Amino acid sequence: YVKTRERTTAGSFITGEELVRTGRDDLLDALQGLVPSLRISKGGFGEGAKANIRNSSSINGSTEALYVVDGVIVESLFGISTYTVDHVEILKDANIYGVFGGNGAIVVYTKRGSNK
């Protein structure tokens, strides 16, 4: 978990049960209606969708959020099912990840990776 003292800005916490109740299997599709200001743009064939939490851009010109799954930074959340997720934290300004988190972060904890 991101510790409260490390969190300096607003964010959202969504449980796996809330995600499953949306009826969507794709994680980003399920998050779209649950998180204010989250915009999802669909990728092309064979590409995953991209999430935008803030309108600002990072040093590489991207506005895409940072994705972290069970403590590991990943390129996309493509293929992660809502049924495997324990909970998700959306950080609007994820400065704990340095310059990479400037556009916010979607931090996913899977059932396998959680300490429960």
Side-chain angles (χ1 to χ4, degrees):
Y1 298 105
V2 176
K3 296 180 180 142
T4 304
R5 70 172 182 252
E6 294 173 340
R7 184 180 300 160
T8 59
T9 59
S12 300
F13 182 91
I14 296 103
T15 65
E17 290 82 22
E18 290 176 280
L19 293 169
V20 170
R21 272 185 267 165
T22 65
R24 298 178 179 159
D25 186 48
D26 182 66
L27 179 58
L28 284 179
D29 282 343
L31 285 173
Q32 179 146 18
L34 299 175
V35 179
S37 76
L38 179 67
R39 289 175 305 285
I40 306 296
S41 62
K42 297 292 182 185
F45 181 74
E47 295 178 15
K50 296 182 179 184
N52 184 320
I53 300 170
R54 304 178 60 177
N55 284 331
S56 63
S57 65
S58 64
I59 54 176
N60 65 1
S62 172
T63 59
E64 188 174 1
L66 178 70
Y67 307 119
V68 181
V69 178
D70 292 332
V72 178
I73 296 174
V74 296
E75 283 191 33
S76 78
L77 297 177
F78 184 70
I80 297 180
S81 171
T82 55
Y83 297 98
T84 63
V85 174
D86 183 59
H87 67 277
V88 177
E89 293 184 47
I90 308 294
L91 306 175
K92 294 191 185 223
D93 184 16
N95 57 5
I96 62 170
Y97 295 106
V99 295
F100 300 108
N103 293 328
I106 299 176
V107 184
V108 179
Y109 296 90
T110 62
K111 292 176 181 175
R112 178 174 281 182
S114 68
N115 292 329
K116 292 184 180 178

